[in-house]
Amino acid sequence: MPEHGRQPAAKSALPRSKSRAGRRLGRLRAVVVAGALLAGLSPVAAAAPQAAAGPESKGDPTQYWNKVLLQTFRNARGWDASPGKLTRSGAMVFAAIYNAESAYQNTYGTMKYEPYLNRPLKYATDSSEPRADEEERLIDRTAYRMLSELYPGDRAFIDARYEARTGRSPRAPDPLDRLVVDRVVRQINKARADDGSDNPELYDGDTTTPGAWRPTGEEATADEGACQEPGDAVTPNWGKVKPFVLRSGSQFRPPSLRGFTSYDELVNSPEYARQVDEVRRVGAVDSTERTREQTVIGWFWDHDLNGTYHPRGSCSS
């Protein structure tokens, strides 16, 4: 007798039902694709969701996602908010967007520039016509995927930004994912895997010789980290990270410090004295030599948004 009084027939009825439904759905999809091709339409256009209708759907999608990216940077904390980590994330997001746009142009227009790292991608036939929102959907889907994978702890914010632009859930199916987005994101992630960006080693270099880097001696504050010990230095091995375009980070690095063979030789040189004097003259509060443009540049670099890294310290928060 079957366990708990269940009938044997009932166990296999559901799988057979699902199988039949799956076959019907597969046949329906085949008909849709075949009809679309006969009509000169892309299967993407035939099966795609409705056009973006979110409250922030207007405007350039690349600019929109750049703003989302910048806010994600502001939300980041710890080493994830260090200058190197942020620039890496930004490069990955926009490299992916560029490749997705290249695929669109190669499919429906004229691709003027080669995509980053990979071969040109074409995802529809020559006679296909794109939907009106297809180009923006490609950018929206690609930018969302890269950002949400890079900052999974900020997924709620990134999801909300996607929905505000498209009016749809980011988890709603879209044929562009399989045709383009998955491939683009996978290729960028593969290129950056094991690039050295997660090196956890602390700084253990020279901090005593005149001219060498040393902690600034600052106490931790509410919006900045302490910089009292060598171990407070943020991502000290970033120079070893695999570049995006160069063969190595040292490809164009001078073999010595402006031609000097040691820190001691550098700090005792006339060139060093000249630069120190220039900083004192131009950087003084009451300087009469500093131009308005130089003042604006100085304020820009010294007054970052609270809660973000300030270049002068380069210490962790």
Side-chain angles (χ1 to χ4, degrees), residues 45-273:
Q50 294 299 310
E56 297 186 37
S57 61
K58 304 298 181 183
D60 184 273
T62 305
Q63 293 296 323
Y64 178 86
W65 286 105
N66 185 55
K67 293 178 181 177
V68 176
L69 176 71
L70 292 177
Q71 185 56 53
T72 305
F73 286 176
R74 297 185 186 104
N75 297 344
R77 291 294 181 269
W79 276 33
D80 284 341
S82 62
K85 292 275 191 177
L86 300 183
T87 55
R88 176 181 182 271
S89 297
M92 290 177 68
V93 170
F94 283 104
I97 290 176
Y98 173 75
N99 280 2
E101 174 66 16
S102 295
Y104 178 85
Q105 294 298 333
N106 191 46
T107 301
Y108 299 116
T110 300
M111 188 181 67
K112 297 180 180 179
Y113 305 102
E114 290 289 317
Y116 176 64
L117 296 180
N118 66 309
R119 295 179 180 178
L121 173 63
K122 191 169 186 177
Y123 60 94
T125 63
D126 291 337
S127 59
S128 299
E129 293 291 336
R131 275 187 52 146
D133 67 336
E134 191 166 322
E135 185 176 15
E136 292 201 5
R137 274 176 37 230
L138 260 180
I139 295 175
D140 290 337
R141 299 291 293 181
T142 304
Y144 168 81
R145 279 280 299 281
M146 285 303 316
L147 264 173
S148 58
E149 289 187 13
L150 287 166
Y151 295 95
D154 218 7
R155 181 70 64 87
F157 164 73
I158 301 170
D159 282 4
R161 291 294 83 207
Y162 180 89
E163 293 178 9
R165 176 161 178 82
T166 68
R168 305 176 71 240
S169 166
R171 278 164 285 284
D174 191 312
L176 288 174
D177 288 344
R178 179 179 56 82
L179 293 172
V180 182
V181 179
D182 291 349
R183 299 162 72 176
V184 165
V185 171
R186 184 166 56 247
Q187 185 266 335
I188 295 294
N189 284 334
K190 181 179 179 181
R192 301 313 304 174
D194 302 319
D195 62 359
S197 60
D198 291 327
N199 190 329
E201 296 177 11
L202 301 180
Y203 182 76
D204 61 355
D206 180 11
T207 60
T208 58
T209 301
W213 178 86
R214 66 186 60 189
T216 57
E218 296 172 334
E219 297 281 355
T221 62
D223 63 309
E224 293 182 315
C227 196
Q228 295 185 313
E229 302 293 335
D232 293 331
V234 176
T235 57
N237 295 289
W238 201 258
K240 301 176 183 178
V241 172
K242 174 186 173 183
F244 279 75
V245 178
L246 302 181
R247 292 192 298 272
S248 70
S250 61
Q251 183 176 345
F252 298 109
R253 188 176 300 157
S256 60
L257 303 167
R258 294 183 64 86
F260 300 101
T261 58
S262 67
Y263 283 127
D264 185 62
E265 185 181 344
L266 170 66
V267 298
N268 287 290
S269 68
E271 172 66 12
Y272 186 83

Side-chain angles (χ1 to χ4, degrees), residues 280-298:
R280 286 173 175 164
R281 288 185 291 101
V282 179
V285 174
D286 56 352
S287 173
T288 59
E289 297 184 40
R290 185 175 60 247
T291 66
R292 175 176 174 78
E293 181 183 18
Q294 289 173 324
T295 301
V296 171
I297 292 172

Side-chain angles (χ1 to χ4, degrees), residues 8-20:
K11 292 181 68 177
S12 58
L14 184 56
R16 283 201 300 270
S17 175
K18 284 186 176 180
S19 178
R20 287 195 295 269

